[in-house]
Amino acid sequence: MRKAFHLPLLAALPAVLAACGDDDLDLDRYKRTKYTSYEQCRLAHRDAIGRGLQNPCQKTSGGFFGPYILLRSGLTRYVGYTSSGRVAPSGLTYDTRTGKTTSFKAPGVSRGGFTSTGRASSSGSASYGG
């Protein structure tokens, strides 16, 4: 009896390999802070705003949240929000050694089936505080 592998199995290989890839693309590795006001959040992230991060703060029914932040050996990655309150499709990387800021494609779905928009708002409808 011979076993044959079909193309659909091979087509799924990139997705399987991506799941084992870079932890920077997993929002579960990012942290974000809760603030008492929108203004407090903006003030806390004024440096990231100055580097070009748009919509770093989000208002939800659970409070005010800052951007997702990941610290990695001299690099700080920020992922903000869209004007509708969802996680932004791109983020900023700040290299503390060189002072250079670059953009990257932000994580969309983390491991375990959790979507980034699900974490952005506990009620499913978020608004942006201006």
Side-chain angles (χ1 to χ4, degrees):
M1 182 170 160
R2 286 188 314 156
K3 292 185 179 181
F5 292 98
H6 299 284
L7 188 55
L9 178 62
L10 294 175
L13 187 58
V16 171
L17 292 175
C20 301
D22 190 355
D23 286 337
D24 289 0
L25 297 178
D26 183 354
L27 270 182
D28 286 340
R29 304 272 181 191
Y30 286 70
K31 305 288 185 225
R32 68 178 185 163
T33 304
K34 186 175 181 179
Y35 295 92
T36 57
S37 72
Y38 181 79
E39 292 74 23
Q40 181 188 28
C41 176
R42 298 268 309 172
L43 185 61
H45 298 288
R46 67 179 175 261
D47 290 342
I49 293 168
R51 291 184 194 108
L53 184 64
Q54 296 180 0
N55 301 332
C57 303
Q58 177 199 45
K59 178 183 177 183
T60 71
S61 60
F64 300 91
F65 291 92
Y68 288 94
I69 299 174
L70 178 70
L71 301 172
R72 246 333 121 88
S73 63
L75 299 176
T76 304
R77 289 190 135 186
Y78 302 94
V79 178
Y81 306 94
T82 64
S83 59
S84 63
R86 298 189 185 279
V87 175
S90 63
L92 294 179
T93 299
Y94 175 65
D95 187 329
T96 58
R97 296 166 292 202
T98 65
K100 186 175 179 181
T101 302
T102 56
S103 63
F104 69 98
K105 184 179 183 320
V109 178
S110 67
R111 294 181 195 140
F114 155 101
T115 62
S116 56
T117 55
R119 182 186 253 185
S121 171
S122 59
S123 67
S125 62
S127 64
Y128 183 68

mmCIF file with all atom_site columns, all heavy atoms in Angstrom, residues 100-113:
data_model
loop_
_atom_site.group_PDB
_atom_site.id
_atom_site.type_symbol
_atom_site.label_atom_id
_atom_site.label_alt_id
_atom_site.label_comp_id
_atom_site.label_asym_id
_atom_site.label_entity_id
_atom_site.label_seq_id
_atom_site.pdbx_PDB_ins_code
_atom_site.Cartn_x
_atom_site.Cartn_y
_atom_site.Cartn_z
_atom_site.occupancy
_atom_site.B_iso_or_equiv
_atom_site.pdbx_formal_charge
_atom_site.auth_seq_id
_atom_site.auth_comp_id
_atom_site.auth_asym_id
_atom_site.auth_atom_id
_atom_site.pdbx_PDB_model_num
ATOM 1  N N   . LYS A 1 100 ? 16.723 55.022 15.476 1.00 0.00 ? 100 LYS A N   1
ATOM 2  C CA  . LYS A 1 100 ? 15.973 54.899 14.224 1.00 0.00 ? 100 LYS A CA  1
ATOM 3  C C   . LYS A 1 100 ? 14.611 54.246 14.470 1.00 0.00 ? 100 LYS A C   1
ATOM 4  O O   . LYS A 1 100 ? 14.496 53.302 15.242 1.00 0.00 ? 100 LYS A O   1
ATOM 5  C CB  . LYS A 1 100 ? 16.774 54.076 13.222 1.00 0.00 ? 100 LYS A CB  1
ATOM 6  C CG  . LYS A 1 100 ? 16.163 54.008 11.855 1.00 0.00 ? 100 LYS A CG  1
ATOM 7  C CD  . LYS A 1 100 ? 17.070 53.270 10.889 1.00 0.00 ? 100 LYS A CD  1
ATOM 8  C CE  . LYS A 1 100 ? 16.426 53.200 9.525  1.00 0.00 ? 100 LYS A CE  1
ATOM 9  N NZ  . LYS A 1 100 ? 17.269 52.474 8.578  1.00 0.00 ? 100 LYS A NZ  1
ATOM 10 N N   . THR A 1 101 ? 13.602 54.763 13.783 1.00 0.00 ? 101 THR A N   1
ATOM 11 C CA  . THR A 1 101 ? 12.249 54.218 13.868 1.00 0.00 ? 101 THR A CA  1
ATOM 12 C C   . THR A 1 101 ? 11.854 53.654 12.511 1.00 0.00 ? 101 THR A C   1
ATOM 13 O O   . THR A 1 101 ? 12.029 54.312 11.489 1.00 0.00 ? 101 THR A O   1
ATOM 14 C CB  . THR A 1 101 ? 11.243 55.308 14.276 1.00 0.00 ? 101 THR A CB  1
ATOM 15 O OG1 . THR A 1 101 ? 11.644 55.853 15.542 1.00 0.00 ? 101 THR A OG1 1
ATOM 16 C CG2 . THR A 1 101 ? 9.845  54.746 14.411 1.00 0.00 ? 101 THR A CG2 1
ATOM 17 N N   . THR A 1 102 ? 11.333 52.426 12.503 1.00 0.00 ? 102 THR A N   1
ATOM 18 C CA  . THR A 1 102 ? 10.844 51.799 11.275 1.00 0.00 ? 102 THR A CA  1
ATOM 19 C C   . THR A 1 102 ? 9.458  51.235 11.531 1.00 0.00 ? 102 THR A C   1
ATOM 20 O O   . THR A 1 102 ? 9.057  51.045 12.679 1.00 0.00 ? 102 THR A O   1
ATOM 21 C CB  . THR A 1 102 ? 11.784 50.657 10.819 1.00 0.00 ? 102 THR A CB  1
ATOM 22 O OG1 . THR A 1 102 ? 11.920 49.707 11.877 1.00 0.00 ? 102 THR A OG1 1
ATOM 23 C CG2 . THR A 1 102 ? 13.155 51.180 10.425 1.00 0.00 ? 102 THR A CG2 1
ATOM 24 N N   . SER A 1 103 ? 8.744  50.959 10.456 1.00 0.00 ? 103 SER A N   1
ATOM 25 C CA  . SER A 1 103 ? 7.410  50.371 10.614 1.00 0.00 ? 103 SER A CA  1
ATOM 26 C C   . SER A 1 103 ? 7.459  48.875 10.297 1.00 0.00 ? 103 SER A C   1
ATOM 27 O O   . SER A 1 103 ? 8.392  48.396 9.653  1.00 0.00 ? 103 SER A O   1
ATOM 28 C CB  . SER A 1 103 ? 6.397  51.070 9.705  1.00 0.00 ? 103 SER A CB  1
ATOM 29 O OG  . SER A 1 103 ? 6.741  50.894 8.359  1.00 0.00 ? 103 SER A OG  1
ATOM 30 N N   . PHE A 1 104 ? 6.473  48.152 10.774 1.00 0.00 ? 104 PHE A N   1
ATOM 31 C CA  . PHE A 1 104 ? 6.368  46.722 10.500 1.00 0.00 ? 104 PHE A CA  1
ATOM 32 C C   . PHE A 1 104 ? 4.896  46.342 10.448 1.00 0.00 ? 104 PHE A C   1
ATOM 33 O O   . PHE A 1 104 ? 4.032  47.079 10.924 1.00 0.00 ? 104 PHE A O   1
ATOM 34 C CB  . PHE A 1 104 ? 7.108  45.894 11.566 1.00 0.00 ? 104 PHE A CB  1
ATOM 35 C CG  . PHE A 1 104 ? 6.472  45.920 12.931 1.00 0.00 ? 104 PHE A CG  1
ATOM 36 C CD1 . PHE A 1 104 ? 5.649  44.881 13.348 1.00 0.00 ? 104 PHE A CD1 1
ATOM 37 C CD2 . PHE A 1 104 ? 6.695  46.970 13.810 1.00 0.00 ? 104 PHE A CD2 1
ATOM 38 C CE1 . PHE A 1 104 ? 5.067  44.900 14.610 1.00 0.00 ? 104 PHE A CE1 1
ATOM 39 C CE2 . PHE A 1 104 ? 6.121  47.001 15.063 1.00 0.00 ? 104 PHE A CE2 1
ATOM 40 C CZ  . PHE A 1 104 ? 5.303  45.961 15.461 1.00 0.00 ? 104 PHE A CZ  1
ATOM 41 N N   . LYS A 1 105 ? 4.619  45.185 9.844  1.00 0.00 ? 105 LYS A N   1
ATOM 42 C CA  . LYS A 1 105 ? 3.251  44.683 9.774  1.00 0.00 ? 105 LYS A CA  1
ATOM 43 C C   . LYS A 1 105 ? 2.898  44.123 11.144 1.00 0.00 ? 105 LYS A C   1
ATOM 44 O O   . LYS A 1 105 ? 3.588  43.269 11.672 1.00 0.00 ? 105 LYS A O   1
ATOM 45 C CB  . LYS A 1 105 ? 3.139  43.595 8.707  1.00 0.00 ? 105 LYS A CB  1
ATOM 46 C CG  . LYS A 1 105 ? 1.740  43.086 8.495  1.00 0.00 ? 105 LYS A CG  1
ATOM 47 C CD  . LYS A 1 105 ? 1.728  42.036 7.394  1.00 0.00 ? 105 LYS A CD  1
ATOM 48 C CE  . LYS A 1 105 ? 0.376  41.506 7.050  1.00 0.00 ? 105 LYS A CE  1
ATOM 49 N NZ  . LYS A 1 105 ? -0.553 41.263 8.091  1.00 0.00 ? 105 LYS A NZ  1
ATOM 50 N N   . ALA A 1 106 ? 1.850  44.643 11.727 1.00 0.00 ? 106 ALA A N   1
ATOM 51 C CA  . ALA A 1 106 ? 1.472  44.256 13.083 1.00 0.00 ? 106 ALA A CA  1
ATOM 52 C C   . ALA A 1 106 ? 0.860  42.859 13.125 1.00 0.00 ? 106 ALA A C   1
ATOM 53 O O   . ALA A 1 106 ? 0.304  42.391 12.129 1.00 0.00 ? 106 ALA A O   1
ATOM 54 C CB  . ALA A 1 106 ? 0.487  45.270 13.655 1.00 0.00 ? 106 ALA A CB  1
ATOM 55 N N   . PRO A 1 107 ? 0.949  42.212 14.281 1.00 0.00 ? 107 PRO A N   1
ATOM 56 C CA  . PRO A 1 107 ? 0.330  40.896 14.435 1.00 0.00 ? 107 PRO A CA  1
ATOM 57 C C   . PRO A 1 107 ? -1.177 40.984 14.234 1.00 0.00 ? 107 PRO A C   1
ATOM 58 O O   . PRO A 1 107 ? -1.807 41.965 14.609 1.00 0.00 ? 107 PRO A O   1
ATOM 59 C CB  . PRO A 1 107 ? 0.639  40.516 15.883 1.00 0.00 ? 107 PRO A CB  1
ATOM 60 C CG  . PRO A 1 107 ? 1.748  41.399 16.290 1.00 0.00 ? 107 PRO A CG  1
ATOM 61 C CD  . PRO A 1 107 ? 1.629  42.650 15.488 1.00 0.00 ? 107 PRO A CD  1
ATOM 62 N N   . GLY A 1 108 ? -1.750 39.946 13.644 1.00 0.00 ? 108 GLY A N   1
ATOM 63 C CA  . GLY A 1 108 ? -3.198 39.915 13.459 1.00 0.00 ? 108 GLY A CA  1
ATOM 64 C C   . GLY A 1 108 ? -3.859 38.891 14.348 1.00 0.00 ? 108 GLY A C   1
ATOM 65 O O   . GLY A 1 108 ? -4.792 39.186 15.063 1.00 0.00 ? 108 GLY A O   1
ATOM 66 N N   . VAL A 1 109 ? -3.355 37.669 14.327 1.00 0.00 ? 109 VAL A N   1
ATOM 67 C CA  . VAL A 1 109 ? -3.921 36.594 15.130 1.00 0.00 ? 109 VAL A CA  1
ATOM 68 C C   . VAL A 1 109 ? -2.783 35.947 15.889 1.00 0.00 ? 109 VAL A C   1
ATOM 69 O O   . VAL A 1 109 ? -1.769 35.606 15.315 1.00 0.00 ? 109 VAL A O   1
ATOM 70 C CB  . VAL A 1 109 ? -4.619 35.540 14.244 1.00 0.00 ? 109 VAL A CB  1
ATOM 71 C CG1 . VAL A 1 109 ? -5.155 34.395 15.079 1.00 0.00 ? 109 VAL A CG1 1
ATOM 72 C CG2 . VAL A 1 109 ? -5.732 36.182 13.444 1.00 0.00 ? 109 VAL A CG2 1
ATOM 73 N N   . SER A 1 110 ? -2.951 35.801 17.179 1.00 0.00 ? 110 SER A N   1
ATOM 74 C CA  . SER A 1 110 ? -1.908 35.163 17.964 1.00 0.00 ? 110 SER A CA  1
ATOM 75 C C   . SER A 1 110 ? -2.206 33.686 18.109 1.00 0.00 ? 110 SER A C   1
ATOM 76 O O   . SER A 1 110 ? -3.271 33.208 17.772 1.00 0.00 ? 110 SER A O   1
ATOM 77 C CB  . SER A 1 110 ? -1.800 35.821 19.332 1.00 0.00 ? 110 SER A CB  1
ATOM 78 O OG  . SER A 1 110 ? -2.962 35.575 20.078 1.00 0.00 ? 110 SER A OG  1
ATOM 79 N N   . ARG A 1 111 ? -1.258 32.972 18.653 1.00 0.00 ? 111 ARG A N   1
ATOM 80 C CA  . ARG A 1 111 ? -1.448 31.534 18.864 1.00 0.00 ? 111 ARG A CA  1
ATOM 81 C C   . ARG A 1 111 ? -2.605 31.277 19.801 1.00 0.00 ? 111 ARG A C   1
ATOM 82 O O   . ARG A 1 111 ? -2.894 32.068 20.667 1.00 0.00 ? 111 ARG A O   1
ATOM 83 C CB  . ARG A 1 111 ? -0.170 30.934 19.449 1.00 0.00 ? 111 ARG A CB  1
ATOM 84 C CG  . ARG A 1 111 ? 0.951  31.001 18.459 1.00 0.00 ? 111 ARG A CG  1
ATOM 85 C CD  . ARG A 1 111 ? 2.203  30.377 19.022 1.00 0.00 ? 111 ARG A CD  1
ATOM 86 N NE  . ARG A 1 111 ? 3.310  30.805 18.171 1.00 0.00 ? 111 ARG A NE  1
ATOM 87 C CZ  . ARG A 1 111 ? 4.484  31.137 18.604 1.00 0.00 ? 111 ARG A CZ  1
ATOM 88 N NH1 . ARG A 1 111 ? 4.761  31.093 19.877 1.00 0.00 ? 111 ARG A NH1 1
ATOM 89 N NH2 . ARG A 1 111 ? 5.421  31.510 17.776 1.00 0.00 ? 111 ARG A NH2 1
ATOM 90 N N   . GLY A 1 112 ? -3.271 30.177 19.612 1.00 0.00 ? 112 GLY A N   1
ATOM 91 C CA  . GLY A 1 112 ? -4.389 29.824 20.470 1.00 0.00 ? 112 GLY A CA  1
ATOM 92 C C   . GLY A 1 112 ? -5.720 30.331 19.938 1.00 0.00 ? 112 GLY A C   1
ATOM 93 O O   . GLY A 1 112 ? -6.737 30.231 20.593 1.00 0.00 ? 112 GLY A O   1
ATOM 94 N N   . GLY A 1 113 ? -5.721 30.900 18.747 1.00 0.00 ? 113 GLY A N   1
ATOM 95 C CA  . GLY A 1 113 ? -6.968 31.317 18.132 1.00 0.00 ? 113 GLY A CA  1
ATOM 96 C C   . GLY A 1 113 ? -7.510 32.644 18.608 1.00 0.00 ? 113 GLY A C   1
ATOM 97 O O   . GLY A 1 113 ? -8.614 33.010 18.296 1.00 0.00 ? 113 GLY A O   1
#
